[in-house]
Amino acid sequence: MEPERDPDPQRRARLIAAASTALSAMRAGHDDGALDAVADAVDAAPNSHSDARELMLLLFGECSSMVSALGSGGAAPVKMQVFDDEGREVPIDEADPPVRTAVRTLLAEVHGDTDAAAAQIEIALANADPEEMALLVAQALRWTLRLSEECVNRDLPVPEWILAS
């Protein structure tokens, strides 16, 4: 059986460019500019729903790789914690929906279950309002930045497109 071909062969390059631009804006403290870069790239795509899903999976996939590197390939556990607005740790199921989705998506990716990660994103795309989607994208961008900084500090690999942002 022949593998399924992406009808848009430039999609990955376009998504990486959009993510890199968004990371650069966020690194400079322009969160709104970061989200605008993502929105512009996704809205301009022939299939914006698919590109939104793929962009978030790209970010969460890279976060997963960095979490794995930070955890010595699984030899050392990496703990995820969720905090409320007052700084208290809360169970994942009690977190705000965008944070809950982000954590579940990242955990699925870390455990190699890309289908479950994609399902989390699909649920959000189908049910979340635009503000919640913006928060989900912002969370993915923030984690990408923080994890890449920690990887750089520990001399661990980080994709060039993340570093160049």
Side-chain angles (χ1 to χ4, degrees):
M1 186 175 194
E2 197 171 315
E4 187 177 319
R5 292 204 171 120
D6 189 340
D8 181 0
Q10 298 302 314
R11 178 191 304 207
R12 182 159 175 83
R14 191 175 61 250
L15 294 176
I16 287 173
S20 184
T21 299
L23 289 167
S24 181
M26 191 163 272
R27 186 173 281 120
H30 304 293
D31 289 12
D32 289 340
L35 295 175
D36 289 344
V38 169
D40 290 347
V42 168
D43 290 344
N47 184 344
S48 60
H49 179 93
S50 178
D51 273 26
R53 179 188 62 240
E54 294 305 315
L55 182 105
M56 285 187 277
L57 289 173
L58 170 71
L59 291 168
F60 283 112
E62 293 298 346
C63 286
S64 171
S65 294
M66 290 184 283
V67 165
S68 179
L70 289 165
S72 301
V78 175
K79 183 177 181 181
M80 291 189 70
Q81 296 172 287
V82 177
F83 298 93
D84 64 16
D85 293 335
E86 287 80 42
R88 293 182 303 244
E89 187 174 3
V90 296
I92 292 170
D93 291 334
E94 292 177 21
D96 291 333
V99 174
R100 188 171 52 235
T101 299
V103 170
R104 288 179 176 160
T105 302
L106 181 56
L107 287 172
E109 285 284 356
V110 166
H111 291 286
D113 194 346
T114 302
D115 291 340
Q120 288 295 316
I121 299 299
E122 280 298 328
I123 291 167
L125 286 167
N127 299 307
D129 63 38
E131 184 178 319
E132 288 176 327
M133 286 308 301
L135 290 171
L136 178 59
V137 171
Q139 188 67 57
L141 291 166
R142 283 187 197 105
W143 283 351
T144 302
L145 285 178
R146 289 182 184 144
L147 288 165
S148 67
E149 290 166 0
E150 190 60 32
C151 284
V152 166
N153 289 341
R154 296 185 192 190
D155 292 324
L156 296 170
V158 177
E160 186 59 39
W161 65 267
I162 293 173
L163 295 175
S165 61

